[in-house]
């Protein structure tokens, strides 16, 4: 006998995410879920962001990694409000892990929270964490086909960043293909070109400050 | 391996939706192509997640939905095997819509009629 049901498989995660969102909104914190491949430059982007606007806005960071606290150690040089979450075998953060991370931050003192997700373009996308927006980070070294191969992040992101622009002359990367694929998957998503290691991140910083009302 | 996370999330959802007096035989989920679910990995994840639980042996069925694309030119919506499929009107700016479903849609429980025989 069949019993029809219509339930979102991630209902429980989404319920905790709603609680996170309420907590963060009440504390006046703008929250970004930063998603990108291993090596795309997520931590370097955050380091450069602190260097550029660390005095204009107070930014907290939750860092997800399978193991090690290396990213948190790097970020701690710039910011006292950093919490490392080790996911063990988990390929993404879930709302409950973020919930526990939030308990370790003084949210009322923050303007912005960046959740640096586990390096992965697939798994993290489907899990709501309670963020205001998802930001997808690509780099030219990964190749121009990544949006087509990982459409979910392109669809879900409010902003996409293309990093390591200084390497463009040295790698095989067709900018037209990259942009056309993105436009086809998500005609309204914004794309900014950046280079975290050289500090070419002005537009990203402006976007972040505007979102946080700073 | 987000399949394992999904399988463990499913356990709670299945328990919450299955009536107490029924014997569960199988569950069915529906997944859109955006979710990137690998059927073999999902099957394995379900078996691993239910092992040593009250749901051990419950079968798992995955319905994979095709891409649903919208054409901004003629405003039609159609199904396709590939995300980058042009519309019959010739437009190549089709975009995916409602392709990220991930839903538990059916529980199949043991038929009571069989027990009466």
């Amino acid at each position: 006998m069949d019993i029809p049901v219509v339930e979102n498989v991630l209902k429980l995660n989404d319920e905790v995410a709603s609680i996170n969102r309420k907590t963060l909104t009440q504390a006046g914190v703008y929250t970004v879920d930063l998603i990108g491949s291993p090596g795309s430059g997520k931590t370097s982007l955050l380091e450069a962001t602190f260097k550029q606007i660390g005095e204009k806005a107070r930014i907290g960071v939750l860092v997800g990694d399978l193991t090690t606290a290396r990213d948190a150690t790097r970020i701690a040089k710039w910011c006292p409000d950093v919490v490392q979450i080790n996911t063990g075998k988990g390929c993404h953060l879930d709302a409950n892990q973020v919930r526990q991370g939030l308990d370790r931050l003084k949210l009322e003192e923050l303007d912005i929270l960046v959740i640096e997700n586990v390096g992965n373009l697939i798994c993290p996308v489907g899990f709501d964490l309670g963020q205001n927006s998802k930001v997808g980070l690509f780099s030219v070294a990964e190749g121009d086909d990544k949006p087509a191969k990982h459409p979910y992040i392109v669809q879900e992101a409010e902003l996409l960043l293309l990093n390591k622009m200084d390497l463009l002359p040295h790698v095989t990367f067709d900018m037209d293909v990259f942009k056309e694929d993105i436009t086809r998957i998500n005609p309204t998503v914004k794309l900014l070109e950046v280079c975290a290691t050289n500090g070419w991140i002005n537009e990203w910083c402006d976007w972040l400050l505007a979102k946080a009302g700073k | 391996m987000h399949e394992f996370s999904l399988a463990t999330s499913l356990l709670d959802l299945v328990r919450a939706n299955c009536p107490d007096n029924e014997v569960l035989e199988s569950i069915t989920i529906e997944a859109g192509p955006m979710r990137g679910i690998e059927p073999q990995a999902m099957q394995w994840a379900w078996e691993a997640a239910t092992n040593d639980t009250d749901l051990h042996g419950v079968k798992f069925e995955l319905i994979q939905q095709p891409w649903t694309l919208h054409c901004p030119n003629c405003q039609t919506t159609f199904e396709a095997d590939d995300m980058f499929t042009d519309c019959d009107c010739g437009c190549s700016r089709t975009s995916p819509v409602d392709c990220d479903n991930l839903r538990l849609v059916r529980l199949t429980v043991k038929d009571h009629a069989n027990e009466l025989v």
Side-chain angles (χ1 to χ4, degrees), chain B residues 45-56:
Chain B
W46 173 252
E47 286 169 21
T50 52
N51 198 21
D52 295 331
T53 74
D54 52 322
L55 297 174
H56 177 69

Side-chain angles (χ1 to χ4, degrees), chain A residues 17-81:
Chain A
S18 297
I19 297 170
N20 292 349
R21 187 167 285 114
K22 197 173 169 189
T23 304
L24 288 159
T25 306
Q26 280 175 350
V29 181
Y30 189 83
T31 306
V32 167
D33 179 8
L34 180 62
I35 297 174
S37 310
S40 55
K42 295 182 293 299
T43 310
S44 298
L45 177 72
L46 290 179
E47 288 174 312
T49 305
F50 280 111
K51 208 181 288 186
Q52 195 147 327
I53 58 167
E55 289 178 2
K56 290 183 184 166
R58 184 143 174 193
I59 308 171
V61 182
L62 288 181
V63 192
D65 272 306
L66 271 72
T67 180
T68 82
R70 290 187 186 186
D71 284 358
T73 306
R74 279 172 65 184
I75 292 165
K77 287 178 186 165
W78 298 95
C79 131
D81 310 296

